[in-house]
Amino acid sequence: MPFTVDGVVPWGRTMDEYCGMFDLGERELRGRILGCGDGPASFNAELSALGYSVVSVDPLYAFSAEAIEKRVEETYDIIIEQLTRNRDDFVWTYVPSIPALGQRRMWAMRKFLDDYVRGLGEGRYVDASLPDLPFEDSSFDLALSSHFLFLYSQEFDLAFHVRALEEMLRVAPEARAFPLLQVGGAPSPHVQGVIDAFAAQDIQARIEEVPYEFQRGGSRMLRLQR
C-alpha cells in the first residue's frame, strides 16, 4: 500500500477541493478526466454521481475496501497529531480548524469507500501509477496529479517528474499538477527544470494561481499543454 511521509495513507480530498486546486470549471468537468495518484479521494465518486467521466489511478487500488478502511482508521490519530504539531504551516480559511478538517477528510474517504467496489467494476479505479499508465494515447482530455508530483521531490528526481508528465501528456492533451511545494512547504527544486524540459519540446508550460490554498504558499499549479 502506498504511504506518504511517516507511513500515512494520503487523506482523501473532495470534489470542491479538486476544482479549487486545479481551477476546474464546467468546460473541464465535461471532458474525460484522469486523476493520477488520487488515493482515497471522493473526487471520482462525486463527479461520477453527477454523470461526468473520470478515471482514477493509484497503486492503493490493488487493496480491498476493508484493507484501505483499516489503514485509514489506524492512521487517523497520526495525521491529526502531525497537523496539530505543524498547524502554522497551513492556512485555516478553507476549513476553520483541525477537527473540521478531520471531519471533512473522513467524509471524503467514506464517500470513496462507499463507491470503491462499484467503481472498480466500472473501471473507474485502476491499479496503476506514474510514470506508466495503462491507457491508449489521447484517451482523456485532461490529466491531473494532486499531491504527488513535486510534493515528494526528495523521493523522486527531476527525470522522474519529466517522464511522469510526459506520460500524462501522452494520454491527454493537457496536464495539471498541484501543489508546487514539497513536503515541509519549501518550493520544489524540480519545477523550473520541468518547465525547461518541456519548453525544449515546444510544449507550453506555465505556472498559474488557483483559488485554493491550504498548505501555506501552495496556491499555484503547473499547467502543460501539447
Side-chain angles (χ1 to χ4, degrees):
M1 186 177 293
F3 301 137
T4 62
V5 175
D6 296 331
V8 176
V9 173
W11 272 17
R13 290 173 173 82
T14 61
M15 184 182 77
D16 63 319
E17 288 180 277
Y18 267 72
C19 289
M21 291 186 294
F22 295 108
D23 198 19
L24 302 177
E26 186 64 20
R27 180 183 65 83
E28 288 90 353
L29 294 176
R30 287 191 176 280
R32 298 165 299 169
I33 298 175
L34 173 68
C36 299
D38 279 351
S42 63
F43 177 64
N44 192 311
E46 291 184 82
L47 273 185
S48 297
L50 294 172
Y52 295 112
S53 173
V54 57
V55 172
S56 298
V57 298
D58 198 297
L60 183 73
Y61 306 149
F63 294 84
S64 68
E66 292 77 16
I68 296 172
E69 182 176 24
K70 182 174 184 291
R71 187 58 178 165
V72 166
E73 291 174 348
E74 290 173 346
T75 58
Y76 179 84
D77 289 339
I78 298 173
I79 297 175
I80 292 296
E81 190 278 329
Q82 290 175 340
L83 284 167
T84 302
R85 187 173 67 244
N86 302 298
R87 63 174 299 119
D88 291 342
D89 294 338
F90 301 95
V91 178
W92 299 99
T93 53
Y94 184 77
V95 289
S97 66
I98 291 174
L101 179 66
Q103 291 175 1
R104 171 176 280 270
R105 291 290 183 261
M106 292 303 288
W107 179 90
M109 286 188 282
R110 175 54 58 190
K111 192 80 172 176
F112 160 78
L113 288 169
D114 288 345
D115 180 61
Y116 182 55
V117 173
R118 178 179 179 179
L120 282 174
E122 295 176 349
R124 291 189 285 108
Y125 298 112
V126 178
D127 171 19
S129 60
L130 293 169
D132 298 299
L133 299 173
F135 306 111
E136 298 293 329
D137 295 356
S138 302
S139 295
F140 302 93
D141 299 304
L142 177 63
L144 308 174
S145 172
S146 163
H147 294 83
F148 174 55
L149 294 178
F150 300 115
L151 190 65
Y152 299 106
S153 291
Q154 294 183 357
E155 290 81 4
F156 299 100
D157 62 12
L158 173 60
F160 177 90
H161 280 73
V162 172
R163 175 72 184 88
L165 287 162
E166 285 176 339
E167 181 73 345
M168 291 170 68
L169 286 174
R170 179 185 67 80
V171 301
E174 181 175 342
R176 302 180 187 183
F178 176 94
L180 305 184
L181 304 179
Q182 57 187 326
V183 172
S188 168
H190 301 324
V191 174
Q192 190 57 52
V194 165
I195 292 173
D196 293 342
F198 283 100
Q201 301 179 44
D202 291 325
I203 292 174
Q204 186 179 49
R206 62 180 183 271
I207 296 172
E208 296 183 0
E209 290 287 331
V210 298
Y212 177 91
E213 181 182 11
F214 179 56
Q215 191 179 10
R216 192 172 297 279
S219 60
R220 301 190 301 170
M221 71 172 177
L222 180 67
R223 183 177 183 181
L224 301 170
Q225 291 175 294
R226 60 172 170 83

